[in-house]
Amino acid sequence: MPEWKTRIRRVIFLIAIAYLGVVLLAALFQRRLLYFPTKLPLELAERTALVEGFVPWKTQAGETIGWKIPARGSPTGSVLIAHGNAGNALNRGYIAKPIHAAASFDVYVLEYPGYGARLGSPTMKSFRAAGEEAFRALPTNRPVYLVSESIGAGVVAHLAKT
């Protein structure tokens, strides 16, 4: 076989190996390519929340599942915000504050597992479970409104169907 054909085969073989390597790396690190959480120690998250006007939103067991801006006066409804992919719930003041200013609502921002100070791992399954847990933790004696952005739309759609 001529030498140039051997070289072409080697180049094709090396390109194929490099391609397979890239595909393998993408498969191994796909979660890091999908989710972009900003993690914070709980103490820092609580200080940041105080500055941003949020208070911790906790389950009956005492686990922080997000952040809340309490209504001024008697609340007439609750708003649950499922935020987007990057950052964390404390970065969503630009959504929560105008809603809070517009009506006498308690505004809750869900923190996904693996985001902010919340333990866990970010997956769509864990997001849906967190959404269900958050929805159950909301007051039941007034209307609940769901707001989402980006990846949070999946959480809100899941809640709407249940």
Side-chain angles (χ1 to χ4, degrees), residues 6 8 11 13 27 35 51 83 90 96 98-99 109 117 120 123 146:
T6 304
I8 289 176
V11 168
F13 179 74
Y35 302 106
V51 169
H83 67 80
L90 290 172
I99 294 170
V109 185
T123 66
L146 303 174

Side-chain angles (χ1 to χ4, degrees), residues 40-74:
L40 298 171
L42 183 58
E43 299 79 29
L44 179 58
E46 288 175 343
R47 285 196 310 267
T48 303
L50 184 62
V51 169
E52 293 295 321
F54 289 99
V55 296
W57 175 29
K58 297 180 183 269
T59 63
Q60 297 254 344
E63 177 192 0
T64 300
I65 60 171
W67 305 95
K68 172 184 173 183
I69 302 177
R72 297 175 314 275
S74 181

Side-chain angles (χ1 to χ4, degrees), residues 4-5 20 40 43 47-48 51 68 70 81 87 96 100 120-121 135 150 157 161:
W4 64 272
K5 284 186 178 182
L20 289 174
L40 298 171
E43 299 79 29
R47 285 196 310 267
T48 303
V51 169
K68 172 184 173 183
I81 299 171
H100 181 260
S121 179
F135 194 80
S150 185
K161 81 169 188 161

Side-chain angles (χ1 to χ4, degrees), residues 1 5 13-14 27-28 42 54 68 81 89 93 105 109 111-112 119 130 132 134 156 158 160-161:
M1 181 182 312
K5 284 186 178 182
F13 179 74
L14 290 174
L28 290 173
L42 183 58
F54 289 99
K68 172 184 173 183
I81 299 171
F105 291 156
V109 185
E111 190 72 270
Y112 301 131
L119 300 175
E132 290 172 4
V156 166
H158 175 73
K161 81 169 188 161

Side-chain angles (χ1 to χ4, degrees), residues 10-26:
R10 265 193 209 144
V11 168
I12 291 172
F13 179 74
L14 290 174
I15 290 171
I17 293 296
Y19 175 76
L20 289 174
V22 168
V23 169
L24 179 63
L25 285 173

